[in-house]
Structure formats: structure tokens, C-alpha cells
Amino acid sequence: MSLDGIDPPVLASRDGGKSPVDAMALSDDGPAVATAPPAPPAQPATEEPGQDAAALLERTRALVDPRLRAAVDSLPGSIRRVAMYHFGWLRADGTPSAGGAGKAIRPALVLAAARALGGDPQRAVRAAVAVELVHNFTLLHDDVIDEDRTRRHRPTAWAVFGVPAAIIAGDAMLALAQRLLAEDDGPVAARASARLSACVVELCAGQQADCSFEDRDPDEVSLDECLAMATAKTGALLGCACALGALCADAGERAVGAMDGFGRETGLAFQLIDDLIGIWGDPEQTGKPVGADLAAHKKSLPVVAALTSGTPAADQLAALYRGSMNTPAEVKRAADAIERAGGRDWAQVCAADRMARAFHHLSRAVPDPDRGGDLLTLAEFVTRRTH
């Protein structure tokens, strides 16, 4: 496993101005941005990239899906139908569908963290289901807030059933997740429930910050604010997933905290790659229109890195963000400006740096790298994906 999927850093913008890579400040608790991340254990040369991850996610689905379906099936009729449509188990007309319920990255992290710390993954399945329910609660609400009409190559739940039905289904999933943890008779149930609740509050704060950025002038959002928003909105849940797995393995607080750190840094790398895909991804793979985030004036990490670069391209991007960006040509000009201002390069470098930090946290929790192999596989997967 490696981070070969991340392009090499380019330390100067194509405009010749100051690149955001040059200006990126790092805290003392992580490696410098120019430091290559420590290489995880090598895989056999005959193995295709992502093959291990696909098998791991498939095993996770085999463990988690029956419990997830049973949980969703306990919801009241009309709410259940919206939830089952969202997960891909029903078509809009209520007939069964063979659609997938997502990649299962977060539940896989729960099980992998438990396994890495010597626990039984079966004991962590309940927590894995709870994390997946919380994740899908956020997706239902995000689709409404962002007015996204497509997810997983088909209409979003709100586009089919209406905004109230989608919001209510999301609320029900959140309550269901908390109920699952509260009903666990294990010794760590209370700690797990409290950690998940704190995570949800952090998620909401991140989402609120993300929404507030849209109403602010392009020159008013700092890169530090944007990184904090992304950590809360994405990193918090991946960190919580890893921490819950550690709790299910009866790990001590030091290991739980290190696992949370591993998940948070992996989550931030995940968000950086997701932001890049949102701008330059292939609609055939993403299931969303190209440049949808730009057309919506989203101030994602590559965008803010570009806006704060002090380059001529940053001024051009700011002017576009103050306009409508209703046409494909305008969206393309914005994407080109981000690249020329160094935003794309910065995001790639930052993703690699965050993975290096993630490996550092993991080494504190699991000194034997062989035991953390599944977690490293998942971390690599989220930074090498294309959709």
C-alpha cells in the first residue's frame, strides 16, 4: 500500500505568484508537508490497487447489512420507505432494488479498529451500524441543504418524496443510531453513546460553518476556517468510527484517542480528495453533474486555497464567485482558475500530509504495523478513489 495515487506536490502556482502550498502552516504535532508519508506494509506485486479494500468492504457489508436492514425495517412505514429508497434497497415505486447502500467505509473503520486492538469485530457490529446510520442522516440532510438532485446515479430522496419526508427520515435515522447504542448492555455503551452524540454536535457545527461560507464574500473565508470546517464535517465521524471500534475492543483512553486522531486525519484527507472530485471528477463515476460544487458557489478546500493564494488567478476566481456561474463555460473558467492559483496542487499535497499524520496516530495506538493493516488499507482507499 502507498499513497502513489496522489500526484507529486507542485510548490509554485502556474501564475508565478505565491502558492498556497508555500504558505501552508503546520502544527508541531505532525510532519512537515514536504516529508513523504511513512510507507505502509507492502502488498504483493501481483495485487491490483484497491483489491484488498474491495474485499474488506465486502466483508464489512456482509456483517453490517443484515443488522442495518433490520434496524431500518423497525422504522414506521412511510419513514421506512424513504430510508430504504435512500439506501438503494427500494425503487421510488416501492419495489425491491438491488442498488448498493454505499461504500461502507465508516462501518469498516469501526470493525478494523476493533480488530487492530485485539477485539472481536462481531462485538463492534452494533456500533458500526450506528455510525452508518449517522452518516446517512447527514447525507439526507446535505442533499436537501445543497439541493442536490442526484446521488448514487439516481434521484435523491428529497427529489422523489419531498423535503419534509427526507428531513424526517434523516432525523429518524439519527435517533435509531442512538437507540442502538443505548440498548447495548456492554460496559462501554454509555461512553460510546456519549462519543457519538458529541460527534453529531460537531458534525452539525461543521455543516453550519459550511453553509455560512456561501453567504460570505470570497475574500472573507480563511484557509484555517475551511480546514476546521472540514475536520468537523468529515473528520469527526471517521474519528468517531475508529474510536468506537477501539472502545468495543476495551482499549484504554490513550489508544481510543489515538484512533480518533487517525480517523480525523484520514477524514480530512478524504474530504480533500472529495473536494477535488467535486471539481474535476467524471460525472459517469460520481453520479453528479461536473462542477456542481462550483456552480453552487461552494467554498471547498481547493477553492479557498486558491482564493487565498494572492495570485492573479485568485482575483479571477473571486470575480467568478461574485457572479452567477450558471453556464458550463463559467464553471470551467472557475476550475481553471483554481488550478492556476495552486488550489489543486495544495489539496493533493495536504491530503498526503494528513495521511502522514494519520499514520503517526495509528502507530501510537497499534505499534505493530501488521495489526493495523486493514486500517491502512481503508486509509489508502479513501485517498486513491476517483468517485
Side-chain angles (χ1 to χ4, degrees):
M1 286 177 288
S2 70
L3 293 176
D4 295 340
I6 298 177
D7 292 344
V10 177
L11 298 181
S13 76
R14 291 169 175 80
D15 280 26
K18 186 176 181 181
S19 166
V21 174
D22 299 322
M24 186 165 71
L26 298 175
S27 63
D28 293 337
D29 61 353
V33 70
T35 302
Q43 296 297 312
T46 57
E47 194 167 347
E48 292 296 326
Q51 191 174 34
D52 266 5
L56 179 56
L57 294 172
E58 186 62 31
R59 291 198 301 272
T60 297
R61 276 290 172 217
L63 277 174
V64 170
D65 268 6
R67 295 282 291 274
L68 179 62
R69 281 177 175 261
V72 172
D73 200 47
S74 72
L75 294 171
S78 59
I79 297 176
R80 179 173 65 246
R81 179 175 173 180
V82 176
M84 293 187 73
Y85 172 84
H86 168 78
F87 277 111
W89 301 330
L90 290 181
R91 298 185 180 89
D93 62 4
T95 57
S97 171
K103 297 181 181 70
I105 292 168
R106 291 154 189 83
L109 285 171
V110 177
L111 303 185
R115 191 181 299 111
L117 290 167
D120 179 2
Q122 291 283 352
R123 284 186 56 197
V125 170
R126 183 188 291 266
V129 172
V131 166
E132 187 71 343
L133 286 168
V134 168
H135 172 53
N136 281 276
F137 141 74
T138 67
L139 295 183
L140 279 163
H141 284 207
D142 282 357
D143 286 342
V144 171
I145 292 169
D146 297 338
E147 298 183 352
D148 284 337
R149 303 191 70 89
T150 306
R151 180 174 292 280
R152 297 168 186 155
H153 303 280
R154 64 179 194 161
T156 49
W158 76 265
V160 174
F161 299 100
V163 169
I167 291 174
I168 290 167
D171 293 344
M173 284 187 199
L174 175 58
L176 187 57
Q178 289 291 4
R179 192 184 80 187
L180 284 174
L181 292 183
E183 289 177 348
D184 188 358
D185 57 4
V188 298
R191 291 167 64 199
S193 183
R195 185 172 282 271
L196 186 64
S197 295
C199 171
V200 171
V201 173
E202 191 173 357
L203 287 171
C204 292
Q207 180 64 61
Q208 192 277 332
D210 191 23
C211 292
S212 74
F213 290 171
E214 294 182 40
D215 296 326
R216 292 164 62 180
D217 188 80
D219 293 334
E220 292 179 353
V221 178
S222 72
L223 198 48
D224 284 345
E225 283 182 293
C226 201
L227 284 164
M229 176 275 293
T231 301
K233 188 176 175 182
T234 304
L237 188 54
L238 270 69
C240 183
C242 295
L244 290 181
L247 285 171
C248 291
D250 299 319
E253 280 302 317
R254 183 177 184 274
V256 172
M259 279 294 189
D260 182 85
F262 167 78
R264 282 175 178 270
E265 296 293 355
T266 300
L268 189 49
F270 178 102
Q271 187 61 56
L272 284 154
I273 299 302
D274 195 64
D275 288 347
L276 290 170
I277 292 169
I279 298 171
W280 291 284
D282 180 356
E284 291 296 319
Q285 292 186 309
T286 65
K288 291 185 176 183
V290 66
D293 288 352
L294 297 180
H297 293 72
K298 282 281 184 183
K299 295 183 180 70
S300 63
L301 286 161
V303 170
V304 175
L307 287 169
T308 56
S309 66
T311 62
D315 296 334
Q316 296 163 17
L317 181 62
L320 286 164
Y321 257 68
R322 294 186 182 105
S324 60
M325 275 201 290
N326 286 330
T327 68
E330 289 173 319
V331 169
K332 185 180 185 308
R333 283 201 295 273
D336 290 345
I338 294 166
E339 186 152 14
R340 287 185 288 109
R344 187 173 190 170
D345 294 333
W346 175 86
Q348 290 168 336
V349 172
C350 193
D353 172 66
R354 293 295 171 168
M355 288 312 305
R357 295 175 187 234
F359 296 159
H360 173 69
H361 283 295
L362 183 59
S363 69
R364 291 172 53 225
V366 187
D368 180 357
D370 290 337
R371 288 176 55 193
D374 286 350
L375 288 167
L376 292 172
T377 295
L378 292 167
E380 181 194 21
F381 175 76
V382 303
T383 59
R384 296 186 65 174
R385 65 200 181 93
T386 57
H387 61 281

